[in-house]
Amino acid sequence: MMKRLLLLAICFVAMAANAQEKKGGFALEVGVGTSNYGNLSPVSVFADPTDSYGLVAAEHISVGYYNSNGLFMGLMVDCSAGNTIFQNLNEGFVNINTMFDIRRSFKLNDKFDFEAGVAIGLLVHNNSFDYANEHHSYTRYGSSGFASLGLNYKVAENQYIGLSARFPYFSSFMDDKPNLPTGLEATNKSQTVGYSLQLSYGIRF
């Protein structure tokens, strides 16, 4: 999966290299939304997360450079957090991704743009829970990426709001399975795939 996302990113970079240089500037985008993980085991630190995660909060901030061809290249910090109750341990997680963000927008009319993109990068994933009257915390590292499709609406000059879908939302952990307290079994899976929906606000300078 990561190889496909990397290939897609290379295609976007190639478009940037072949595009005729036009006037552009810097852009800032922030967004909030929700994520869903289709394979929960690697997201949870436990081998059998019987109770699935509920609503997972997600947000991002992205800064970079755009040109008038509709090409954007920048850096994104993408975060998500959720919790579940596994054997009444109140497990929760925080997932932080630092990603290279490449997007291309296509003007539909004076108000709407269609946007496609890809992001790849590194992740830091933390799980915490309570067990035997003690609080436990485990941090794992890995890689992540996604492809995205979205629609932006121009609300003012150089400002827009957008709705985007990210799929697949892919994460791969590099670490060995966590060393949990006696009596708890750790997950031995290393990859998770899901999707994310984001509502964004952006401004171009």
Side-chain angles (χ1 to χ4, degrees):
M1 184 64 67
M2 186 58 68
K3 291 181 179 179
R4 295 179 181 177
L5 292 173
L6 183 58
L7 180 60
L8 186 57
I10 293 173
C11 292
F12 273 83
V13 172
M15 285 194 301
N18 292 328
Q20 182 180 358
E21 183 64 27
K22 294 185 179 182
K23 183 179 178 181
F26 289 97
L28 169 68
E29 181 182 278
V30 295
V32 296
T34 183
S35 297
N36 179 276
Y37 295 90
N39 183 355
L40 295 174
S41 294
V43 177
S44 171
V45 77
F46 301 115
D48 181 22
T50 303
D51 297 306
S52 63
Y53 285 92
L55 185 66
V56 177
E59 54 275 331
H60 76 272
I61 180 169
S62 186
V63 294
Y65 176 82
Y66 74 94
N67 66 22
S68 56
N69 289 315
L71 185 72
F72 171 86
M73 300 178 68
L75 184 68
M76 173 187 292
V77 177
D78 183 87
C79 306
S80 59
N83 59 74
T84 187
I85 298 175
F86 178 73
Q87 297 179 356
N88 296 322
L89 300 182
N90 297 316
E91 183 196 16
F93 78 89
V94 176
N95 194 65
I96 302 175
N97 304 271
T98 303
M99 315 178 82
F100 182 46
D101 182 16
I102 312 171
R103 285 177 267 168
R104 181 71 185 269
S105 61
F106 304 88
K107 187 174 182 179
L108 300 178
N109 54 42
D110 290 340
K111 288 291 187 180
F112 287 96
D113 290 339
F114 171 76
E115 186 176 77
V118 61
I120 54 175
L122 302 175
L123 71 88
V124 178
H125 184 94
N126 178 266
N127 291 82
S128 62
F129 60 91
D130 299 316
Y131 181 70
N133 297 320
E134 293 184 1
H135 184 73
H136 299 267
S137 180
Y138 295 86
T139 299
R140 291 176 284 168
Y141 304 90
S143 57
S144 59
F146 60 80
S148 64
L149 296 174
L151 190 66
N152 296 329
Y153 175 76
K154 182 179 178 181
V155 294
E157 190 66 27
N158 296 325
Q159 298 181 50
Y160 64 89
I161 57 174
L163 181 65
S164 63
R166 302 171 177 180
F167 55 90
Y169 199 99
F170 175 79
S171 299
S172 178
F173 299 105
M174 298 182 293
D175 307 71
D176 295 331
K177 69 178 185 178
N179 185 20
L180 299 185
T182 302
L184 299 176
E185 183 181 358
T187 180
N188 59 1
K189 295 184 179 181
S190 62
Q191 297 183 350
T192 182
V193 178
Y195 65 86
S196 179
L197 297 175
Q198 295 269 324
L199 180 64
S200 304
Y201 168 77
I203 184 169
R204 295 166 179 164
F205 301 95

